[in-house]
Amino acid sequence: MRRARTRTLLAAAALLAGLLGGGGSAAGAGGTRGEALVHAAAAAPQSAPEAENCDTGTSLPPAQRDGARIQEIRKRGYLIVGVDQSAYNWGYRDSQTGRIEGFDIDLARAVARSVLGDPDKVRLKTIATADRVELLRAQPRTIDLIARAMTVTCDRLEQISFSSPYFKVSQRVVAPKAAHARSVAEALGGKRVCAALNSSSHSELKRDPHGAASVVTPDNQLDCLVLMELGEADATLSDSSLAAAMVAQDQTMELAGESFLPTYMGVGISKDDTDLIAWVNQVLVDWRNNGGWQASYDRWLRPVMGDPGPYRPW
Amino acid sequence: MAAQTQGGVRAPSPTRAPEPGPGGPVQPVQPVPGGRLSGPLARLRSAARTPPGRLRTALAVLVALALLFGVTAAWQSAERAAAARQLASRSEPLSQDAAEIYRSLADADATAAAGFLMASAEPPEVRKRYQDDLATAARLIPQAAARSGASADAQRQLAALGEQLPRYAGLVETARAINREGLPLGGAYLRYASNYLQTSLLPTAERIADGEAAALDEDHDAAAAVPWAALVLGVLLLGALGRYQVVLFRRTNRVFNPGLLTASAAVLAALAWTAVGTVAAGTGLHEARTRGIDPLRELNRVRVEALQAHTAENLDLVSRGATEAFEDRWDALARTLTASARDTGSVAGLLADPPERARQQLTEARRWFDEWQRRHAEAARLDAEGRYEEALGKTLAPGRDDTAEAAFNAAGQQWEQAGRAEQAAFEAAAGGIDGTLAVQAAATALLAALAVGGTVRGLGRRLAEYR
């Protein structure tokens, strides 16, 4: 019963967030790496993702029951999680320690602790953006779940399942501060725009180029930052999570203009693994309630993204 | 001496029709009706029909032919000597330099990626190797440009390479600096730098190397060319000398004309020298090609492919999750390298018919190459299981010799030694050919001069009898 109530609460919170959502644009031009984002994010529209024709905000009810997948993980002795190693502060390899760390990695470890009693009983497997959905559908399966800044879309929901949302993101433009762009239209209009190949930003640019003079699509959004630094692109469109990671690595860049197209981030799981989906949802409830989400946010994201309000999916 | 007057007795009349007889080659070709010709031409014709006239004509023809033979034979030999000298002293070293520029750049790419993966643990020798690679390229580019004779196109390519090199170096240093801050952006920079090298510098360096290889082939073919003109002229001259000696014998009943005999012997010697020299030079040049030039070319190709595969192997670990491009690139290169001996660019192909001097190194390199592939497969298996740190440790780790990188380096060292052995084989085979051909040029010239002298002396005696 507790779980059902939690779920209702979650949905209500999401609804409330949506109702409270308001517009605002002017992005701040802060002096440190984080500040620009703080203001920009705080001013972003707060509407809940009103996804295309499906419900991207709900998942199975949280539950901890031993299904086939949970048993297999326990038998194996470790959890296999598909992660990124180049998304700064989300899932990235620290070149000094050699460890993959970040917000998504904390989540992966929280799941491992819950299922196996040890946050280190996890194998982090770096996977490419383009392979994410396929890896959850392939037989035999080589990963249990994906914690890799993955947004919930209707297309993806047709092929795989997601946990409840654990983060709220939207589309953001990254541009040099020197461009002084005050809106998305200004930041992209007539510009050479970059977006990671087959990302949701790429799809958006295909749907509406926002006046871009040209669009370049390298494999990874970080390649876009390189292209901007070398003067081969003028602006980048990206999920706000990764946009924040870009701004965190180059102080001369900022989030320009308003955010749009809000979406949820969820843990990707195979449709077959209903036991794991429910289990992860329970982990997320606990992670939120025991302050784990907040602690990880404070550690990895607050320095860059500021107040977590706009990003909480509940 | 009755025979001495024979020529006079047989003085022809201008109107007489030609008759079969010992007059042979110097007889008038056609009857000329009286009165149809007049003036200097007619006088010349009638003069040529007198016995001394016929002798003078024969002398002129034989001397001209001998001079032509001598000049042609000496010139052709000298040309080939120059080509052989060019081959051994310029085009082959330059071709090797161009290949070395190409290889250095590919090596820099692989080494930069290795150093990047080791980050703060990067051993000084890895850094040094990268810097040496850049220094080698930076030294060889202006050297190649400075030599006269580089075509306008080659100059353009070298200038382009000279401009691209510092930009590449700048990108790599940016990647290193960002990596040392612990930011993933460094990996993206390194990918960009590597892509820039692979799509701009390497194709330019490859075009330069191809141009040098073509120049080398040209020199090789010029040095190995069969001097047909000299051989044909020599045979013609020998035939003419023999024929005229028969004519003289019939007219004078003297068995030998010492002058003409000397001339014939000289021409025969020159011909033999040219023929034997051509065969000898051809054998040497064939050896130089099959034991030096061709194996070196194939070896350079395999070494660069292996370096590119090594780069892909390292960059794949740098870019895990960002792009799968390097895994695909590794697969493609590994397929070429591990193909059967019949396929170009395969490691097995290097051992299909290796130069004896390099066989041992190539065999050893093959062993290390296979070991490298095995270790890579092991690292890839670990990586596929999500054991990234172990995969990284299996691929490269400072100071360890059980890594894929260590096996690759061992193969690389063996290939380098094989390259030196093949270079030595080339030098042994090609060295001295130019000298042989230069001596041949001088000898044929001298022998042709002897033939001219003999002819003049031999026919001069006969002419003197008319005075």
Side-chain angles (χ1 to χ4, degrees), chain A residues 95 98 148 219 229 232 249, chain B residues 179 185 189 192 321 323 389:
Chain A
S95 58
R148 194 188 180 285
D219 279 349
E229 288 188 2
E232 293 175 28
Q249 296 181 74
Chain B
N179 191 43
L185 178 63
Y189 255 98
Y192 185 95
T323 172
E389 291 304 316

Side-chain angles (χ1 to χ4, degrees), chain B residues 104-390:
Chain B
S104 297
L105 292 174
D107 197 79
D109 196 19
T111 311
F116 188 95
L117 275 173
M118 295 188 257
S120 53
E122 178 184 359
E125 55 267 27
V126 172
R127 178 75 178 149
K128 183 173 183 309
R129 177 167 167 179
Y130 168 78
Q131 284 169 331
D132 286 350
D133 283 333
L134 286 200
T136 303
R139 178 173 52 81
L140 292 177
I141 291 167
Q143 252 179 40
R147 99 198 144 100
S148 56
S151 68
D153 186 51
Q155 292 286 1
R156 248 197 320 279
Q157 308 278 10
L158 285 160
L161 204 53
E163 286 162 21
Q164 290 161 350
L165 190 62
R167 174 152 196 250
Y168 169 72
L171 289 167
V172 170
E173 293 312 312
T174 306
R176 275 169 57 85
I178 297 176
N179 191 43
R180 290 189 162 227
E181 283 185 51
L183 301 177
L185 178 63
Y189 255 98
L190 191 70
R191 279 203 298 281
Y192 185 95
S194 178
N195 184 56
Y196 180 63
L197 183 113
Q198 299 278 348
T199 56
S200 296
L201 284 92
L202 280 189
T204 311
E206 191 176 14
R207 276 195 291 277
I208 294 169
D210 287 350
E212 294 296 352
L216 185 153
D217 288 344
E218 222 167 80
D219 283 341
H220 178 273
D221 293 350
V226 176
W228 288 115
L231 291 174
V232 167
L233 279 170
V235 169
L236 275 178
L237 175 59
L238 204 57
L241 281 168
R243 179 97 175 100
Y244 199 71
Q245 280 173 86
V246 172
V247 168
L248 277 186
F249 167 67
R250 289 196 182 145
R251 284 195 193 145
T252 65
N253 284 329
R254 285 191 185 169
V255 179
F256 299 118
N257 178 317
L260 288 184
L261 211 56
T262 309
S264 301
V267 172
L268 193 63
L271 259 181
W273 200 312
T274 304
V276 170
T278 297
V279 170
T283 308
L285 286 164
H286 179 75
E287 177 95 2
R289 176 168 277 297
T290 55
R291 295 285 160 233
I293 297 171
D294 287 347
L296 264 176
R297 212 169 267 180
E298 195 54 27
L299 179 63
N300 285 333
R301 184 194 167 110
V302 167
R303 287 178 77 188
V304 167
E305 275 169 7
L307 279 166
Q308 288 180 312
H310 188 45
T311 303
E313 177 179 42
N314 290 342
L315 280 181
D316 185 45
L317 288 172
V318 170
S319 312
R320 293 301 290 146
T323 172
E324 300 295 285
F326 297 107
E327 203 174 327
D328 299 344
R329 201 170 154 66
W330 163 274
D331 288 344
L333 286 162
R335 247 197 318 279
T336 310
L337 284 163
T338 54
S340 79
R342 283 189 311 278
D343 299 296
T344 47
S346 71
V347 175
L350 295 180
L351 276 164
D353 178 26
E356 213 37 60
R357 300 176 188 231
R359 180 187 294 274
Q360 194 207 328
Q361 293 92 319
L362 287 173
T363 310
E364 190 71 358
R366 170 84 194 267
R367 202 172 67 70
W368 280 114
F369 172 82
D370 292 341
E371 182 62 26
W372 172 38
Q373 297 294 310
R374 262 194 300 281
R375 290 179 187 178
H376 174 88
E378 170 68 9
R381 188 184 63 75
L382 291 168
D383 192 32
E385 287 177 14
R387 296 153 74 179
Y388 178 86
E389 291 304 316
E390 290 165 77

